[in-house]
Amino acid sequence: MSAAVLPVIEAQGLHVHAGENTLLRDVSLSIAPGERVAIVGHNGAGKSTLLRTISAFSRVHGGRVNVLGTDVTLLGEPRNSQKTRDLRQLRSRVAQVLQGLHLVGRLSALDNVLIGGAARTPSWLTWFRRWPAREREQARAALMRVGMAWAAQRRTDSLSGGERQKVAIARALHQNAPVLLADEPTASLDAEAADEVIALLRELVAERKATLICVVHDLDLVPRLAERVIVLRRGHLVADVKVDANTATELRGILK
Amino acid sequence: MLLVACALLVLASLWTLAAEDELSLGRKPWQNLKKTVAEMSEPSFLRVWFGDTNSQMRDQDGKVLRVDDQQANERRYLAGVGRALWTTLRIATLGTALAALIALPFGLLAARTLNAPRPLFWFAKGVLDTLRSIHTLVFGLFFVGIVGLGATAGILAVAAHSAGTLGKLLAESIETLDTHPVDAVRATGATAGQVFFLGVWPAVLPQYVSQVLYVWEFNIRDSTILGLVGAGGLGLLLSEAMSLFQWGRLATLLIAIVLMVTAFDAVSRAVRKRLV
């Protein structure tokens, strides 16, 4: 990593709280383009909050976060159209694969993938699911890429957990963003489906030279997904280390 | 605690009404009940088959004043009932359809989670609450005064009250929607319109259609009495039968209502089951 490369994400003294609860305290980190970072920690340690902050879904109460050169802190409460536009622009460049049920159940897999291209095609025609032919082609290709082309016209609520997660990855693929956030992408999947999802995520990130930031629950998955791991405990960043063969064991020690 | 409060309210109601002497059952409740039941147990439609085809009305001297064919009379009456049922059904249907359209914008504005501008939110909420708190029958009186007697007044009355109900239901189903898929759509950088039409609307639509059907079912029941205030349909015949003390005809009407309502309940329930 040369010093000339600007970090994709840079946080300094980040504070986030919800009511009485402090979710993140004084978190500082810097992530370079193309890095694969895992975030681990107990429930309520602030892992998901950190992701939500990066995608500008969480209000920031102190410190700064810069994502792809945009100061997210300033977008916290979009009140004018310029800010709204900046916010959408930023979000379109940060794709997300979340845990479980976050596809629109009553829409087909293809329609769900097409949503990934929403920011590129803001026309009102898309409200009625009329997308440009190029977008359709690209979305089909994305479905094909994750091996779900057969399900293009299937409603996503008729698909299994693993199949849905693959459709979600196809959406991220279609969104074509330089940053990919994943929040326990393998939660509630069986081993085989989890393996597939992990393999796809890794391929996607490698192909697009994207940055991956992934919340991981199962510590054994850390070495397979990431080259760097960040440990959160009660909102504090307690460790930020490179991943090697012993990492899973070490993490167990840190997290007890 | 709550239970005690409820019990107190019941007791207070009972005691005050008794004190105002409003709880009397009339002078001869049993005789009246027996008489009414006896007359109603012979619904008038039976006369289509068993009626006297040569029913003679005589004066005191035995002179024949009038000869009636009861079977033909009753057939005519039943045809009238059929027409009134059809009118009632049309009032309920058009009223509900109109309500479904009116409720859409207000329901959307009144859904907290869609973050409409504050003044618009309160305005929509106010309109919906007002519409909902006024009974269809009261709207019926109101619209009869404006557009005159007939089905139009009925349709408007049904639409006005149901729009309040449907708007509230729509707002609530949007508010209770699973937010994850919607946030996921928002996370792609979609515009507000895209978030609504691609994330919210597909999830809410089946619920809304099911609610509209439910309210339609309800309105078919409600419209049967709209005629009481002159807003068209079956209610007119009801009020006629009651004011002429024709209990047999009243029985016929009630049976017709029960049959219609049951039939449409079943239809609407079957459709709703498929939707969800």
Side-chain angles (χ1 to χ4, degrees):
Chain A
M1 234 176 302
S2 73
V5 180
L6 281 169
V8 173
I9 289 153
E10 191 165 38
Q12 252 156 23
L14 187 57
H15 266 274
V16 175
H17 55 78
E20 298 282 284
N21 289 344
T22 305
L23 302 175
L24 290 177
R25 305 164 208 253
D26 198 19
V27 170
S28 298
L29 55 87
S30 172
I31 296 172
E35 265 194 297
R36 288 180 287 122
V37 183
I39 304 175
V40 299
H42 293 297
N43 287 338
K47 299 167 295 187
S48 299
T49 308
L50 187 54
L51 285 198
R52 290 177 63 81
T53 311
I54 293 169
S55 55
F57 269 98
S58 196
R59 233 180 121 166
V60 177
H61 298 92
R64 291 223 158 287
V65 209
N66 240 289
V67 179
L68 294 162
T70 309
D71 191 339
V72 175
T73 356
L74 296 177
L75 299 175
E77 280 274 283
R79 274 285 170 248
N80 59 47
S81 54
Q82 181 57 46
K83 271 189 184 177
T84 311
R85 231 170 298 138
D86 288 351
L87 181 65
R88 290 203 292 111
Q89 159 81 12
L90 172 72
R91 282 180 178 162
S92 74
R93 303 179 66 202
V94 179
Q96 298 195 41
V97 176
L98 308 168
Q99 51 187 341
L101 310 165
H102 63 283
L103 296 174
V104 184
R106 296 188 71 93
L107 293 185
S108 70
L110 184 63
D111 280 325
N112 265 295
V113 174
L114 279 163
I115 288 172
R120 289 193 294 272
T121 44
S123 152
W124 58 269
L125 281 173
T126 60
W127 296 0
F128 309 102
R129 286 180 252 147
R130 300 187 59 86
W131 301 85
R134 187 176 35 82
E135 286 286 311
R136 294 192 154 271
E137 242 165 71
Q138 211 177 315
R140 274 185 198 283
L143 270 180
M144 187 100 79
R145 180 71 187 72
V146 298
M148 290 296 293
W150 58 272
Q153 299 307 328
R154 291 279 210 94
R155 257 169 60 169
T156 43
D157 53 10
S158 69
L159 300 177
S160 76
E163 289 164 348
R164 281 184 214 180
Q165 211 55 314
K166 284 193 267 179
V167 173
I169 292 174
R171 183 194 274 181
L173 202 63
H174 185 54
Q175 190 173 336
N176 196 14
V179 179
L180 177 62
L181 306 182
D183 192 350
E184 297 191 32
T186 58
S188 71
L189 297 188
D190 59 37
E192 201 182 326
D195 282 347
E196 262 188 286
V197 165
I198 289 170
L200 277 171
L201 276 176
R202 288 199 57 158
E203 284 171 27
L204 163 62
V205 169
E207 264 170 39
R208 304 282 164 100
K209 296 191 172 54
T211 310
L212 173 70
I213 301 163
C214 185
V215 168
V216 184
H217 195 71
D218 181 355
L219 297 179
D220 290 323
L221 296 182
V222 171
R224 298 174 56 194
L225 273 165
E227 52 192 12
R228 174 179 163 191
V229 59
I230 287 170
V231 185
L232 292 176
R233 183 192 290 150
R234 285 196 220 112
H236 286 287
L237 195 154
V238 293
D240 182 348
V241 294
K242 281 230 167 308
V243 172
D244 56 39
N246 301 322
T247 306
T249 328
E250 284 169 28
L251 288 176
R252 280 202 183 86
I254 297 175
L255 290 169
K256 279 185 294 262
Chain B
M1 191 58 210
L2 195 67
L3 211 66
V4 175
C6 290
L8 276 178
L9 186 64
V10 170
L11 285 177
S13 310
L14 258 179
W15 189 71
T16 48
L17 274 178
E20 289 160 26
D21 202 20
E22 289 282 353
L23 282 184
S24 96
L25 291 172
R27 270 181 302 165
K28 305 177 287 184
W30 287 115
Q31 280 100 311
N32 288 346
L33 181 66
K34 254 191 275 176
K35 197 163 148 244
T36 310
V37 166
E39 285 178 35
M40 284 186 71
S41 65
E42 203 183 303
S44 64
F45 71 85
L46 292 175
R47 287 194 223 138
V48 170
W49 300 283
F50 307 115
D52 191 347
T53 47
N54 189 24
S55 148
Q56 298 178 341
M57 197 182 256
R58 295 159 194 274
D59 66 6
Q60 281 149 331
D61 308 327
K63 203 174 118 199
V64 176
L65 290 175
R66 204 171 122 189
V67 180
D68 278 322
D69 179 350
Q70 284 187 342
Q71 290 191 7
N73 272 352
E74 196 55 29
R75 268 197 297 274
R76 264 199 301 282
Y77 186 70
L78 281 186
V81 172
R83 274 195 301 276
L85 278 177
W86 176 224
T87 307
T88 297
L89 185 65
R90 284 181 296 178
I91 290 175
T93 308
L94 290 179
T96 313
L98 192 57
L101 291 180
I102 300 172
L104 266 182
F106 289 105
L108 297 183
L109 289 176
R112 233 172 274 276
T113 44
L114 290 188
N115 285 324
R118 284 286 102 177
L120 277 176
F121 166 80
W122 286 114
F123 171 70
K125 208 168 157 48
V127 168
L128 290 179
D129 285 344
T130 313
L131 289 177
R132 206 157 34 89
S133 57
I134 298 174
H135 196 276
T136 312
L137 214 53
V138 180
F139 270 124
L141 281 169
F142 179 68
F143 283 116
V144 163
I146 293 175
V147 300
L149 296 169
T152 317
I155 292 169
L156 292 176
V158 167
H161 178 75
S162 307
T165 313
L166 281 173
K168 168 106 175 151
L169 288 171
L170 177 62
E172 265 174 18
S173 42
I174 292 176
E175 279 168 12
T176 55
L177 210 62
D178 179 12
T179 54
H180 294 104
V182 181
D183 276 346
V185 175
R186 194 170 284 134
T188 64
T191 63
Q194 287 172 324
V195 172
F196 176 75
F197 280 100
L198 298 170
V200 177
W201 190 237
V204 161
L205 183 63
Q207 279 186 56
Y208 188 57
V209 172
S210 151
Q211 284 157 356
V212 169
L213 279 172
Y214 185 66
V215 168
W216 176 65
E217 207 179 300
F218 205 84
N219 282 337
I220 287 180
R221 275 192 297 273
D222 249 20
S223 335
T224 54
I225 54 165
L226 266 177
L228 288 179
V229 297
L234 212 55
L236 198 63
L237 296 180
L238 275 178
S239 86
E240 185 186 277
M242 281 191 278
S243 25
L244 295 175
F245 302 107
Q246 292 172 329
W247 302 112
R249 292 212 155 150
L250 187 61
T252 302
L253 289 171
L254 294 183
I255 290 170
I257 291 173
V258 170
L259 287 181
M260 176 172 75
V261 169
T262 318
F264 282 97
D265 277 7
V267 171
S268 133
R269 200 164 316 137
V271 177
R272 278 190 289 129
K273 215 179 231 164
R274 281 204 187 168
L275 275 172
V276 183

